[in-house]
Amino acid sequence: MSIGRTGEAGVPGSAPDGGADAHRWWALVVIALAQLMVVLDATIVNIALPSAQHALHMSDGNRQWVITAYSLGFGGLLLLGGRIADLAGRKRTFVTGLVGFAAVSALGGASTSSGMLFGARALQGVCAAVLAPSALSLLTTTFTGPRERGKAFGVYGALAGSGSAIGFVVGGVLTEYLNWRWCLYVNVPIAVVAVLGSVTLLHDRPGHREARLDIPGVLLGCGGLVAIVYGCSEAQPRGWTDPLVLSLLAAGVLLLTLFVRWQTKAPSPLLPPHIVRDRTRAGCFLTMTLAVVGMFGLFLFMTYYLQVILGYSPLKAGLAFLPLTAAITTGSTQISARLLHHVPPRLLMVPGTLLATCGLLLLTRMTPHSSYAGEILPALLLMGLGMGLTFMPIFATATAGVAPRDSGVTSATVNTCQQVGGSIGTALLNTIATSSAAAYITAHLHSPAAKPTVVPAGVVHGYTVAIRVAAGVMLLAALTATALVTAKAPKHAARTGTPAREPVR
């Protein structure tokens, strides 16, 4: 994807050297608002999930589909979304994504059954996959001057990074003072404002007719992911040795294997093979996928622990996540961003994943009577600090040294790893938690009188078992970063006269 001069691809009247044009900064508001909506929707429903589960009579095994349906649609089609933006034009794709997101959000808010909500969430993910790449492309082509480009990406990154925190708090407020449906309805007015702004403020050249869509790649890749996630979710009621579960998992692995094989032959592959042949870049992708498994599982379990076990209101539960987000921001902006130029990226990623592992292990000690300040908060801070140390160098290192034509697909691949890891992790850990809780309750519930104490203890036991698995996966992420991420520190590479990352051609 080529980036033209701002006067051509950006807002009319903007100078090639980044001259002042107030319209462009209002355009940034529109783009950032859309991206905030996409990021916010990954977490806003977490706080509302207990209420939605009760209202729509979801089972504990199926509740995770509210989260995984969105992340599957988003992650599975994100690479395709970038191709669509190239083909149809960025502004047209942006507006289409906004309109679609608003429509399916309204549909989800009006859900009368769990299946209807799951479908709406999947369609939200599809629209987000169309919307996010075009938003980033519009930002890139609108701001070309180095100084204003840095400011624009700083604002964009800050809003995108704060989306998780805003999602938890807004979700708590809407659920407590209105109802869970408003966590979906709230997207409608946001999208309307963004559409009106984009029509008047955003400008773009027509799409590139030479761009091609890799439909077989989409079917193979997305089909494989859906089969694996569905297999993990069905393991809770059926067991891991059930023929259907084994068939789904085997089919998922087969489809993903065929996807990899097809990418080496496709004329316009979704994921060009040379992107992942680089050892460090492949290590970053795998580390991100593994690290997010534990993080998304944590969001799900802690939401239920705080509201169902400790009795927090939705708003109080949302506020309880703020230290986690603050720690992520601190680790990313105050530690990783300052040190990345001076140290090899794995010297940030490995300690980061190890800190996150320690935070998860602390949570394995929680009981139905644990205190937030004394036992939960330290674990959240360790987890957040570790993820901040990990995510920032992954994004910076994975996207360094690529040819300009591959920068978009590389960035999209990192985001895809994040969403795919979240969807698989949520399904897998939720199945482990509900199965372990059911086994515990069956073994300890000897009389109806014991139910008030045994059931909460069993539920928390299920959480701790799943969190132990998440800690193991996080430790595997640390080992992956140690073994595969071999890039030097940018400062050291510059001093020796060699690039920190060789460009991939």
Side-chain angles (χ1 to χ4, degrees), residues 296-351:
F296 270 59
L298 176 73
F299 287 161
L300 178 65
F301 299 140
M302 293 312 299
T303 294
Y304 275 85
Y305 178 78
L306 293 171
Q307 293 189 56
V308 177
I309 304 300
L310 297 187
Y312 282 22
S313 68
L315 177 58
K316 188 176 180 181
L319 293 173
F321 279 102
L322 285 183
L324 173 72
T325 304
I328 292 175
T329 303
T330 300
S332 178
T333 63
Q334 302 304 311
I335 302 177
S336 286
R338 295 173 185 267
L339 294 179
L340 184 60
H341 188 62
H342 305 279
V343 302
R346 68 175 170 187
L347 290 188
L348 295 170
M349 295 162 61
V350 174

Side-chain angles (χ1 to χ4, degrees), residues 219-311:
L219 295 176
L220 290 171
C222 217
L225 292 174
V226 170
I228 289 176
V229 171
Y230 187 41
C232 290
S233 66
E234 284 297 304
Q236 191 273 326
R238 296 173 180 270
W240 290 101
T241 58
D242 182 81
L244 176 62
V245 173
L246 294 176
S247 298
L248 286 168
L249 296 177
V253 172
L254 176 61
L255 288 172
L256 291 180
T257 301
L258 293 175
F259 169 78
V260 172
R261 186 178 180 86
W262 170 252
Q263 293 306 286
T264 64
K265 300 178 178 180
S268 299
L270 280 177
L271 180 58
H274 64 263
I275 296 294
V276 294
R277 287 192 185 121
D278 178 83
R279 177 174 177 173
T280 289
R281 187 166 293 109
C284 288
F285 294 155
L286 185 55
T287 301
M288 172 65 84
T289 303
L290 294 170
V292 172
V293 167
M295 189 171 182
F296 270 59
L298 176 73
F299 287 161
L300 178 65
F301 299 140
M302 293 312 299
T303 294
Y304 275 85
Y305 178 78
L306 293 171
Q307 293 189 56
V308 177
I309 304 300
L310 297 187

